[in-house]
């Protein structure tokens, strides 16, 4: 019989973490980076949109932020961030200077086309972030791996494509220096936690359970925290463990004292695909620190759930 308890570790020092994501999860990772730039050391983006691309409108999001880059005026999005920072709604945008950013966009991506992703790059360049881009793979819209998933050119569930390229490793090596080679992930180190400990999951559009990979070396001790955000149609209740097991992140985490948190959305009437909120379905403040989803992520980073068995 296993008894199950949760131990919360409160970090005394200033909170630092990193983020990555695919699709709406990439746009959301970028949004968390911009809003919490004093805590987020960098972001790994696989096919995402510029900050406040939707401007709070689903219609605009669907039209401009997918394949119609000409509808995006980067200056307006930069101004939105600058204004939010001036109003104290997000952290000072000067923190973005020199922060590490990795951006992947496939040549075949038909859901968020390369010219749209380039708008996010322009945003980061404006704030002098240290951005690396990989735009030369014949890849469709998916999380990219070296050995798991559908063919690189394929578009479809679970939106994990094998392009013979370890995007997880590229992301983590951009965000952290001197990483050790990856090793095998340990299945028992992938655990569930209760997201309702952090927020009102109904208002936030989150599932009651999230997933966390805690390397053996991090059980009971402090480690760096990285969040990986799934895309639309990629939440656990739809695709099972495809993303949380096959992202390629856990293998690097195990050998490098990194905790990977995979928060999970829940689909709802204004969000049937279970996307992360980058267009306002949780409220007009979706892009600032006080938003339901981003404040929940910050709370998870502040009080990492360490799940143990005895
Ligand atoms: C930018 O990042 C690269 C690693 O990706 C690093 O080698 C370089 O020193 C960084 N540049 C600055 C100015 O921090
Ligand atoms: C993409 O470009 C990088 C650096 O220029 C190169 O090493 C890599 O082989 C290229 N990949 C593809 C699939 O073209």
């Amino acid at each position: 019989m296993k008894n199950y308890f949760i131990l919360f570790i409160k970090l005394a020092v200033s909170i630092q973490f990193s983020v990555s994501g695919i699709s709406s999860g990439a746009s959301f990772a970028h949004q968390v980076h911009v809003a919490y730039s004093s805590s987020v050391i960098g972001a790994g983006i696989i096919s995402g949109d510029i900050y406040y691309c939707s401007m709070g409108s689903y219609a605009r999001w669907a039209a401009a932020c997918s394949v119609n880059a000409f509808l995006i005026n980067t200056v307006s999005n930069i101004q939105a961030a600058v204004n939010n920072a001036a109003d104290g709604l997000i952290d000072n945008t000067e923190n973005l200077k020199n922060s590490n950013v990795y951006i992947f966009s496939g040549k075949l991506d038909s859901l968020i086309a390369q010219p749209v992703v380039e708008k996010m790059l322009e945003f980061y360049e404006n704030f002098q972030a240290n951005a690396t881009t990989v735009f030369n793979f014949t890849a469709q819209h998916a999380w990219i791996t070296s050995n798991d998933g559908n063919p690189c050119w394929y578009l479809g569930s679970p939106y994990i494509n094998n392009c013979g390229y370890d995007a997880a490793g590229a992301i983590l090596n951009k965000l952290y220096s001197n990483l050790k080679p990856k090793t095998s992930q340990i299945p028992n180190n992938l655990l569930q936690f209760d997201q309702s400990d952090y927020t009102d999951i109904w208002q936030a559009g989150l599932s009651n359970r999230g997933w966390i990979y805690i390397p053996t070396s991090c059980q009971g001790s402090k480690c760096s925290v990285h969040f990986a955000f799934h895309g639309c149609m990629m939440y656990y209740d739809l695709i099972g463990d495809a993303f949380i097991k096959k992202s390629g992140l856990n293998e690097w985490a195990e050998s490098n004292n990194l905790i990977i948190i995979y928060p999970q959305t829940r689909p709802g009437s204004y969000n049937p695909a279970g996307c992360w909120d980058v267009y306002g379905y949780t409220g007009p403040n979706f892009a600032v620190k006080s938003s339901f989803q981003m404040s929940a992520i910050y709370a998870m980073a502040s009080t990492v759930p360490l799940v143990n068995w005895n």
Side-chain angles (χ1 to χ4, degrees):
M1 265 301 191
K2 281 179 172 175
N3 283 320
Y4 172 103
F5 69 95
I6 296 177
L7 181 72
F8 293 99
I9 299 251
K10 195 85 186 168
L11 305 177
V13 290
S14 78
I15 296 155
Q16 296 232 297
F17 58 100
S18 63
V19 293
S20 67
I22 157 70
S23 192
S24 77
S27 310
F28 185 73
H30 167 58
Q31 189 176 282
V32 172
H33 184 199
V34 173
Y36 283 99
S37 60
S38 65
S39 299
V40 179
I41 62 161
I45 302 299
I46 300 186
S47 193
D49 294 320
I50 189 171
Y51 183 75
Y52 206 53
C53 192
S54 68
M55 302 191 160
S57 152
Y58 177 84
R60 182 181 161 76
W61 187 54
C65 309
S66 176
V67 293
N68 293 311
F70 69 91
L71 294 172
I72 302 168
N73 176 6
T74 307
V75 174
S76 309
N77 299 79
I78 290 169
Q79 199 57 48
V82 168
N83 291 347
N84 284 342
D87 292 343
L89 301 173
I90 66 173
D91 289 347
N92 192 331
T93 50
E94 282 176 19
N95 297 317
L96 295 169
K97 190 173 178 182
N98 294 332
S99 72
N100 290 312
V101 176
Y102 168 95
I103 304 178
F104 182 101
S105 172
K107 287 194 209 174
L108 299 181
D109 196 317
S110 59
L111 295 189
I112 303 184
Q114 285 192 337
V116 172
V117 180
E118 278 165 14
K119 300 296 177 180
M120 187 202 285
L121 176 62
E122 288 172 17
F123 180 99
Y124 275 126
E125 283 174 343
N126 176 75
F127 293 108
Q128 297 176 266
N130 184 344
T132 296
T133 56
V134 177
F135 278 55
N136 61 350
F137 278 77
T138 313
Q140 247 292 6
H141 189 80
W143 181 270
I144 305 301
T145 78
S146 58
N147 56 7
D148 260 312
N150 292 313
C152 196
W153 48 265
Y154 184 83
L155 178 65
S157 188
Y159 300 97
I160 294 169
N161 285 3
N162 178 357
C163 298
Y165 173 71
D166 181 8
I171 289 169
L172 293 177
N173 279 284
K174 176 69 186 177
L175 300 177
Y176 298 96
S177 43
N178 305 317
L179 292 189
K180 296 185 188 125
K182 62 181 172 181
T183 178
S184 302
Q185 64 177 306
I186 297 175
N188 286 343
N189 288 349
L190 184 58
L191 306 163
Q192 301 176 46
F193 70 97
D194 189 347
Q195 296 191 136
S196 64
D197 288 341
Y198 299 97
T199 185
D200 177 333
I201 55 171
W202 294 99
Q203 300 210 65
L206 297 182
S207 169
N208 56 342
R209 76 181 153 177
W211 291 86
I212 182 167
Y213 187 85
I214 307 182
T216 305
S217 62
C218 297
Q219 291 171 13
S221 71
K222 220 172 78 179
C223 281
S224 299
V225 174
H226 177 80
F227 286 87
F229 301 109
H230 62 70
C232 306
M233 308 295 286
M234 284 179 70
Y235 50 96
Y236 181 84
D237 292 337
L238 188 66
I239 66 164
D241 61 15
F243 180 57
I244 63 177
K245 251 193 191 152
K246 296 180 178 173
S247 69
L249 294 165
N250 302 345
E251 289 82 348
W252 287 95
E254 186 63 41
S255 53
N256 287 289
N257 300 345
L258 292 170
I259 289 173
I260 313 288
I261 303 183
Y262 298 94
Q264 300 290 319
T265 61
R266 95 170 45 236
S269 39
Y270 297 104
N271 178 31
C275 305
W276 286 93
D277 192 6
V278 289
Y279 61 87
Y281 68 80
T282 64
N285 69 340
F286 71 97
V288 302
K289 289 167 73 174
S290 60
S291 65
F292 277 111
Q293 289 187 355
M294 293 205 291
S295 62
I297 297 308
Y298 187 77
M300 290 175 197
S302 319
T303 311
V304 174
L306 284 190
V307 186
N308 290 310
W309 278 264
N310 64 6

